[in-house]
Each structure stands twice: as structure tokens, then as C-alpha cells.
Amino acid sequence: MAVETKFVVVRKGEEKMTFASKKEADAYDKMLDMAEAFTDWLLQSELSLEEAQLENLGLFLAEQKEAVQHILRTSKLPEAQPAGKAPKVAAADEESQKKVRAVKAA
């Protein structure tokens, strides 16, 4: 019998994702916090979009945090990575994807 430890990210009583490491679960939870803050900020704006669209936009901005920060710092789009050279974060994610598979909860 094998024993597995799983870390579940729960929001408003709903399971969002399950991870095998606390670090990954904390990072996802932090990203969801950021997405919620973006969504609240967008809801206060005068944009004439539906709430679901604003939530999707907030989640997208949170997922693209590094690109957003780069644009805010430099007023330029981040350079596209050459096909053979992936950013350090992506390489680390690929490595963790081999070891751990996140499962989306219903």
C-alpha cells in the first residue's frame, strides 16, 4: 500500500487543483489571489464587459504576470524566446511536469 501526500487548492469551498508539492500548490494559490485582485480592479473600472469576461481577463493577467511586469517596467512587449531556448521558469515547469501532474478538480 502506497501513501501519497496531495495538496489541494480550495477556493470558496470548491477544489480548484491538486498538486503533489506544497510549493506548487502555494504558487497556484498565489496566482488565484492575484487573478481575484485583477478581477476586482477590472470590475471597478468602466469597462463594458460581462463579469465572466472580466474574470477571464483577470486570470489571464495573473497567469502572464512576468510579461505584465516587463511591459510595465519597459513599456515594451517581452521578446519572443527562440525556439531552442526556453526561459528558466518554463524549463523548471517542464521538469516538474515530468515528476508531478496537476489534476484539475471538478
Side-chain angles (χ1 to χ4, degrees):
M1 177 177 187
V3 176
E4 291 183 22
T5 301
K6 294 184 180 182
F7 298 89
V8 181
V9 177
V10 178
R11 287 287 173 140
K12 299 177 184 172
E14 181 182 333
E15 290 186 12
K16 295 294 184 178
M17 284 279 236
T18 301
F19 297 91
S21 79
K22 183 175 183 343
K23 182 179 178 181
E24 289 176 333
D26 286 342
Y28 187 77
D29 188 50
K30 184 176 180 180
M31 191 267 309
L32 290 178
D33 285 339
M34 191 181 315
E36 189 174 325
F38 275 130
T39 300
D40 291 343
W41 177 61
L42 290 168
L43 286 169
Q44 293 174 0
S45 73
E46 294 182 15
L47 294 173
S48 58
L49 298 172
E50 294 180 20
E51 187 173 343
Q53 291 174 313
L54 294 172
E55 288 175 358
N56 288 335
L57 182 56
L59 184 59
F60 174 76
L61 291 171
E63 290 172 342
Q64 301 300 317
K65 175 181 126 179
E66 288 81 17
V68 171
Q69 288 174 335
H70 179 82
I71 292 167
L72 290 172
R73 278 193 317 269
T74 66
S75 298
K76 296 179 183 178
L77 289 175
E79 292 183 22
Q81 294 292 324
K85 189 172 186 175
K88 292 180 183 178
V89 174
D93 285 344
E94 287 176 18
E95 186 64 30
S96 67
Q97 289 291 334
K98 292 177 186 174
K99 296 178 186 174
V100 177
R101 185 178 66 119
V103 179
K104 224 177 200 179

